Amino acid sequence: MTEDRSSTSNTINVGSRCSELALCQTNLVIEMLKDKNSSLNFNVIKMTTKGDQILDKALSKIGGKSLFTKELEVALDDKRVDFVVHSLKDLPTTLPPGLTIGAVIKRHDPRDCVVLHTKHRAVTRLSALPAGSVLGTSSLRRIAQLARHYPDLKFENIRGNLNTRLRKLDQDNKYDGIVLAAAGIERLGWKDRVNLYLEKHDMMYAVSQGAMAVECREDDVETIAMLAEIHHQETALRVTAERVFMKELNGGCSVPLGTWSMLDEEGLSVSGAVFSVDGKEMLYSERNEMMPSNCPFLRPPIAPFSSTGFLSHHQVDMIHGQRPKLTSDAHSVKGLLRNKIIVHRSGMCCPTQDVAKYDIAEQCGKQIAASLIRKGAREVLDRARAAGIVNVNEAPKNCVNNANTSEAATSSQSSVKLENGTPSDGALNLEDVIPVLEDDNSSSVAEPPCKKSKPTCLL
């Protein structure tokens, strides 16, 4: 029997960044939850993150993805909010202790797109742009791939929310076009601004691009049970493989790394690639995994939590298999099992009967990373990291973060075995970060045009 989230709390507090896109995505999640249970009440608490405040530097120059998530996670850990909604590509592959991804929302178009200046509205392919045309993007991934395929183009940094970047394109007369994630611009109802969509041969997209994640506390059984109602399994399996691939390579905004995935009746197919900053080097790998519902090597589903209050041997084995260092108390673990949910070791909640599928997706990501490491991916990425990146969002001093300390030692090796271990993201110490809360009545933040955008915000 599923826990009734509305029975114990009248209002559910939701954390969100202040941008128009962030608020629109948060409202989309809220609408989905209300469709499942109309008695739920929500209060959106807007916050400003460090990534929102630093707009004069490229993301590759200011460090990791927690730039856009840490302040929200502090509020979550302090129980000032019950869950937060992220663009999943902004969420680090290693979450702070005690937090989990409670739901992944159905993926929107993961491709990148190009919005051109009005003087180029007749252009239908990038190769038709005049030599020396300037495209605005702060993404090393995008620059590396476009420079590889279109060496006559130039690139300039551009930061800010979607509204800001579009205004700069229209008014500054500095850019011939800008490169954006298709999902964001379409969610806001601005699909008509898009001139070109970039396919796999031109641009492999960012890990998890186009997907939204709902992060919550892993011991909050009621919230997780509520979020399970909107969890999209196909998207979750794809992004699990992608996120593991990136984690194994210690990837992030500071390195050019791309992926492409699909899941159908034939199974899971995932591609991954790393690039040099100038795009002249590219290492590529792909893997296909069978994942039909009747796959003979899938483990049997876990039995529901019994009314006796005791765990079966199979349940205990599954718990230890997914969470080698269990951070939740036994009560919350039992509560999740009662709802047929478990926190997978990848940091994502999943149905207990589908754990083996998430294991396969995780292994798929690891195998792609291992293949690229054997081809020399570490060396390529080390050179990208050595390009003078300044991390203004480094973790507190008492955090455990050895992600980069041993990287230099591997630079002389032609290949590295996966079992040697890939430096992992350090755990965040949330108590050292203070979020900036925004007044709901602030006039500086416009409400998202979700009503206007609803036809194009379908998930």
Side-chain angles (χ1 to χ4, degrees), residues 168 227 267 282 328:
K168 288 180 178 180
L227 295 174
M282 173 184 176
S328 298

Side-chain angles (χ1 to χ4, degrees), residues 6-73:
S6 62
S7 64
T8 57
S9 176
N10 291 326
T11 301
I12 301 168
N13 291 315
V14 185
S16 174
R17 291 168 58 198
C18 296
S19 73
E20 192 169 357
L21 176 59
L23 289 168
C24 185
Q25 292 181 160
T26 297
N27 286 340
L28 282 170
V29 170
I30 289 173
E31 288 177 10
M32 293 174 69
L33 292 170
K34 285 184 175 180
D35 286 342
K36 299 293 182 179
N37 186 345
S38 59
S39 66
L40 295 175
N41 297 310
F42 297 91
N43 174 44
V44 177
I45 299 176
K46 294 176 281 188
M47 303 181 194
T48 299
T49 66
K50 184 170 288 187
D52 297 315
Q53 298 171 15
I54 303 174
L55 299 176
D56 59 344
K57 293 183 176 67
L59 291 178
S60 61
K61 298 295 182 183
I62 59 179
K65 289 191 174 183
S66 55
L67 281 169
F68 295 104
T69 62
K70 189 182 291 186
E71 286 79 4
L72 293 165
E73 290 173 327

Side-chain angles (χ1 to χ4, degrees), residues 10 47 116 119 128 161 170 181-182 185 214 225 285 357 359 365 440 449:
N10 291 326
M47 303 181 194
L116 295 172
K119 63 186 176 184
N161 57 40
D170 295 336
I185 196 166
V214 187
S285 182
K357 295 181 180 181
D359 290 346
D440 276 345

Side-chain angles (χ1 to χ4, degrees), residues 17-311:
R17 291 168 58 198
C18 296
S19 73
E20 192 169 357
L21 176 59
L23 289 168
C24 185
Q25 292 181 160
T26 297
N27 286 340
L28 282 170
V29 170
I30 289 173
E31 288 177 10
M32 293 174 69
L33 292 170
K34 285 184 175 180
D35 286 342
K36 299 293 182 179
N37 186 345
S38 59
S39 66
L40 295 175
N41 297 310
F42 297 91
N43 174 44
V44 177
I45 299 176
K46 294 176 281 188
M47 303 181 194
T48 299
T49 66
K50 184 170 288 187
D52 297 315
Q53 298 171 15
I54 303 174
L55 299 176
D56 59 344
K57 293 183 176 67
L59 291 178
S60 61
K61 298 295 182 183
I62 59 179
K65 289 191 174 183
S66 55
L67 281 169
F68 295 104
T69 62
K70 189 182 291 186
E71 286 79 4
L72 293 165
E73 290 173 327
V74 173
L76 188 56
D77 189 59
D78 290 344
K79 299 185 178 181
R80 284 177 284 126
V81 298
D82 297 298
F83 66 79
V84 294
V85 180
H86 303 284
S87 291
L88 185 50
K89 70 174 184 176
D90 290 335
L91 198 60
T93 53
T94 296
L95 302 182
L99 303 184
T100 186
I101 297 175
V104 173
I105 308 305
K106 185 177 180 180
R107 195 174 208 167
H108 206 85
D109 189 342
R111 295 176 297 174
D112 292 281
C113 66
V114 180
V115 178
L116 295 172
H117 192 277
T118 53
K119 63 186 176 184
H120 298 303
R121 293 297 285 181
V123 171
T124 57
R125 61 186 188 279
L126 285 178
S127 59
L129 285 173
S133 294
V134 176
L135 294 182
T137 177
S138 60
S139 164
L140 288 180
R141 172 186 61 85
R142 290 168 177 158
I143 293 172
Q145 294 183 77
L146 290 174
R148 179 180 180 85
H149 299 299
Y150 305 98
D152 291 335
L153 297 179
K154 295 182 179 180
F155 307 95
E156 291 286 345
N157 178 52
I158 186 169
R159 288 290 315 283
N161 57 40
L162 280 176
N163 312 56
T164 300
R165 281 178 278 175
L166 289 171
R167 177 180 51 77
K168 288 180 178 180
L169 171 65
D170 295 336
Q171 299 179 8
D172 289 2
N173 203 32
K174 177 180 180 180
Y175 307 98
D176 293 281
I178 56 176
V179 189
L180 304 167
I185 196 166
E186 291 184 3
R187 282 190 182 120
L188 287 176
W190 301 333
K191 186 176 181 178
D192 61 328
R193 291 294 309 264
V194 177
N195 297 83
L196 305 168
Y197 287 92
L198 301 179
E199 301 298 337
K200 183 178 181 180
H201 61 274
D202 273 336
M203 179 77 69
M204 296 180 73
Y205 46 74
V207 165
S208 304
Q209 186 161 294
M212 295 187 292
V214 187
E215 189 179 16
C216 60
R217 294 180 294 276
E218 66 177 21
D219 61 357
D220 189 348
V221 177
E222 292 174 313
T223 295
I224 293 174
M226 173 187 69
L227 295 174
E229 296 291 322
I230 60 173
H231 182 67
H232 191 255
Q233 174 126 305
E234 176 188 334
T235 300
L237 291 169
R238 290 171 61 189
V239 299
T240 293
E242 294 172 19
R243 284 169 60 80
V244 170
F245 153 65
M246 183 167 70
K247 182 177 181 179
E248 292 294 310
L249 291 173
N250 192 31
C253 294
S254 61
V255 292
L257 181 154
T259 189
W260 199 277
S261 69
M262 63 180 297
L263 179 65
D264 55 26
E265 63 277 3
E266 298 297 325
L268 176 65
S269 175
V270 183
S271 303
V274 299
F275 306 86
S276 61
V277 174
D278 60 8
K280 293 181 179 179
E281 295 178 89
M282 173 184 176
L283 299 176
Y284 176 88
S285 182
E286 63 181 17
R287 190 168 181 86
N288 300 297
E289 297 286 356
M290 184 175 67
M291 202 178 292
S293 58
N294 60 348
C295 185
F297 55 80
L298 294 182
R299 292 197 295 260
I302 188 171
F305 181 69
S306 67
S307 59
T308 62
F310 295 99
L311 299 175

Side-chain angles (χ1 to χ4, degrees), residues 354-395:
D354 294 322
V355 165
K357 295 181 180 181
Y358 287 79
D359 290 346
I360 293 171
E362 177 188 46
Q363 188 62 23
C364 180
K366 287 185 176 182
Q367 292 295 336
I368 294 172
S371 173
L372 290 173
I373 289 172
R374 290 192 294 268
K375 296 176 181 180
R378 285 197 190 282
E379 291 79 3
V380 174
L381 297 180
D382 282 346
R383 289 194 292 273
R385 294 188 184 96
I389 293 170
V390 178
N391 188 349
V392 301
N393 192 42
E394 59 187 359

